[in-house]
Amino acid sequence: GAEVRVASSHGACRARLRCSKTCRRGVAAMETGPWFRGRNGFDQGGNPNALTPDIPTSTLSQATAAQSCLVRVTALEDMH
């Protein structure tokens, strides 16, 4: 798959594109990526945490509250 830039209002990351019939049209799904390697709001490693807000679910769990976020997927060469 092609390398793409996935961006949200919180940040952006590099990812590899793969189309699947098991995912609805207009929906993007990302697996947990490697350690965050971000600079200037862009994560080179493909970590989806770069796309989500850092808001805990509660003071007890401190887990992420993000279950989804709106993103835009563009060709990586469009960044230049």
Side-chain angles (χ1 to χ4, degrees), residues 3-52:
E3 285 195 346
V4 295
R5 178 181 191 265
V6 183
S8 74
S9 60
H10 298 282
C13 67
R14 176 187 305 257
R16 202 97 12 227
L17 180 67
R18 184 181 72 199
C19 294
S20 170
K21 291 181 181 181
T22 61
C23 195
R24 290 184 70 164
R25 183 182 180 97
V27 174
M30 286 183 77
E31 298 177 5
T32 302
W35 289 104
F36 184 79
R37 294 188 336 231
R39 186 173 56 195
N40 299 328
F42 183 77
D43 175 45
Q44 295 289 333
N47 192 315
N49 289 336
L51 306 170
T52 59

